[in-house]
Amino acid sequence: MDEALLRSLTPSVLAILVRRGADFAAAEDAVQDALVEAVRVWPADLPRDPKGWLVTVAWRKFLDQTRADAARRRREDLVDEQPAPGPAPAVDDTLQLYFLCAHPSLTPSSAIALTLRAVGGLTTRQIAQAYLVPEATMAQRISRAKRTVSGVQFDRPGDVATVLRVLYLVFNEGYSGDVDLAAEAIRLTRQLAAQVDHPEVAGLLALMLLHHARRAARTAPDGSLVPLAEQDRSRWDTELIAEGVEILQAALARDRLGEFQAQAAIAALHADAPTAGETDWVQIVEWYDELVRLTDSPVVRLNRAVAVGEADGPRAGLAALAALDALLPRHAAVAAYLHERDGDLATAARLYAEAARKAPNLAERDHLTRQAARLNALRRP
């Protein structure tokens, strides 16, 4: 077996699969499977065109995995979207897999990326967007994690904090992305809350329930996004809201504040407002200040700028936004909204159009495009 030949062919075969439409991580997995097959077959029957053979086998492996993923998603679609309130059912193997993938030999960021890819079903692109890094960087991180755990025994589970982070990112992708995993994330978090008595586990469950309660109102009949301020609040699920608030209050009473509890408190304030105009933005800004202290996250600071704009006026919000990197995802959308609130329709329209070009999904892009068109129509004589 000519191992040097295999190594020399691998980059070009990987590039061909990516050009054909495979995402980087799936292509990498398929090429690795093809290499394993080559090691098994070639010593007895070396093909005339080794590169063509590898491309054909790798592409077949990729298609097989794509079909398997599609079948899995179809099975998930058959499950009722609405997570039932109340005690969690008996624990299954899925949550255990989350803990095993969060292996102590991995850094937390690598463990999260590996779990999202291997168990959560997210693509490398989706994970990279969640981490605000290039797709190639995330693909390398996942590959390194795979190599790290390839020779270890999965007998030492990871920590709860890592599993919470994974569940949160899976829920976010299911709530706002291309793959509907929100109900599954809630189901697993209910299981975790039944096993682990920790206020941050309860905080994450409360946060998920409060966000999920608004799901029915988030889109119009034509599938377009409905901003929070314009949602029909009569369509919000009051039972999920009540459950989320009850869980949150019990967690906050333990006086061990964490980021998920703080985020849930913000969601609860939105849920408590009978109308958008009655939202307690001053208190929301205070909770965002706590979140900044806990996380120092640029995304948190971006959301805080919106809240400051609502509490203290759009110019105060723009001042808070000015301290952030303009390349931050959704920065242009926030700037557009604040400039519109400040009466600068020309700048707002330009920024909405810019934000639409950078939108991570079709629904968000269409919404931002309509916002730009609306303002441009208002400016015409």
Side-chain angles (χ1 to χ4, degrees), residues 46-232:
L46 182 66
R48 291 184 178 181
D49 179 9
K51 180 178 177 181
W53 188 97
L54 282 173
V55 169
T56 299
V57 174
W59 186 248
R60 188 181 302 127
K61 298 284 187 183
F62 167 72
L63 292 178
D64 288 344
Q65 185 57 51
T66 299
R67 293 188 188 103
D69 289 344
R72 173 182 57 78
R73 286 194 292 270
R74 286 195 296 271
R75 290 194 300 271
E76 291 170 349
D77 289 341
L78 295 176
V79 179
D80 184 9
E81 286 186 354
Q82 185 59 54
V91 177
D92 61 23
D93 291 336
T94 307
L95 188 59
Q96 185 65 18
L97 283 174
Y98 274 73
F99 274 97
L100 291 177
C101 283
H103 197 272
S105 62
L106 297 172
T107 63
S109 61
S110 294
I112 291 169
L114 177 62
T115 312
L116 289 170
R117 183 76 182 94
V119 187
L122 273 63
T123 67
T124 306
R125 180 177 292 106
Q126 290 166 331
I127 302 169
Q129 288 173 347
Y131 272 87
L132 310 181
V133 299
E135 183 177 353
T137 299
M138 184 54 65
Q140 293 172 355
R141 184 179 299 177
I142 294 171
S143 296
R144 286 196 299 269
K146 289 178 180 178
R147 288 195 296 270
T148 299
V149 301
S150 61
V152 303
Q153 293 293 319
F154 283 91
D155 55 357
R156 292 183 298 153
D159 66 343
V160 172
T162 299
V163 174
L164 285 178
R165 179 64 53 193
V166 173
L167 289 169
Y168 177 56
L169 291 174
V170 170
F171 175 82
N172 275 347
E173 191 59 46
Y175 186 67
S176 61
D178 300 323
V179 183
D180 185 5
L181 297 168
E184 173 68 359
I186 291 174
R187 184 183 72 84
L188 293 172
T189 307
R190 285 192 187 279
Q191 288 187 3
L192 186 59
Q195 295 181 58
V196 179
D197 181 23
H198 192 287
E200 272 295 84
V201 177
L204 177 58
L205 178 56
L207 175 63
M208 289 179 174
L209 295 175
L210 289 163
H211 277 313
H212 206 68
R214 303 200 301 259
R215 181 169 187 149
R218 289 186 70 247
T219 54
D222 63 0
S224 60
L225 290 180
V226 180
L228 176 61
E230 300 172 19
Q231 289 177 14
D232 179 358

Side-chain angles (χ1 to χ4, degrees), residues 179-319:
V179 183
D180 185 5
L181 297 168
E184 173 68 359
I186 291 174
R187 184 183 72 84
L188 293 172
T189 307
R190 285 192 187 279
Q191 288 187 3
L192 186 59
Q195 295 181 58
V196 179
D197 181 23
H198 192 287
E200 272 295 84
V201 177
L204 177 58
L205 178 56
L207 175 63
M208 289 179 174
L209 295 175
L210 289 163
H211 277 313
H212 206 68
R214 303 200 301 259
R215 181 169 187 149
R218 289 186 70 247
T219 54
D222 63 0
S224 60
L225 290 180
V226 180
L228 176 61
E230 300 172 19
Q231 289 177 14
D232 179 358
R233 300 187 177 215
S234 68
R235 300 185 66 196
W236 290 2
D237 188 321
T238 55
E239 289 187 9
L240 279 186
I241 291 173
E243 184 186 6
V245 168
E246 182 180 359
I247 292 170
L248 172 63
Q249 289 175 338
L252 291 175
R254 301 176 66 173
D255 199 23
R256 292 167 58 192
L257 183 64
E259 62 175 294
F260 294 122
Q261 295 168 74
Q263 288 189 62
I266 292 169
L269 286 167
H270 284 298
D272 186 57
T275 66
E278 297 174 86
T279 304
D280 190 344
W281 286 106
V282 172
Q283 194 173 169
I284 287 175
V285 171
E286 292 174 356
W287 277 111
Y288 271 121
D289 289 339
E290 290 288 346
L291 263 178
V292 169
R293 180 182 63 81
L294 290 165
T295 69
D296 196 28
S297 162
V299 175
V300 170
R301 292 182 181 275
L302 184 69
N303 292 331
R304 180 185 177 276
V306 176
V308 169
E310 299 289 353
D312 301 326
R315 294 196 177 181
L318 288 168

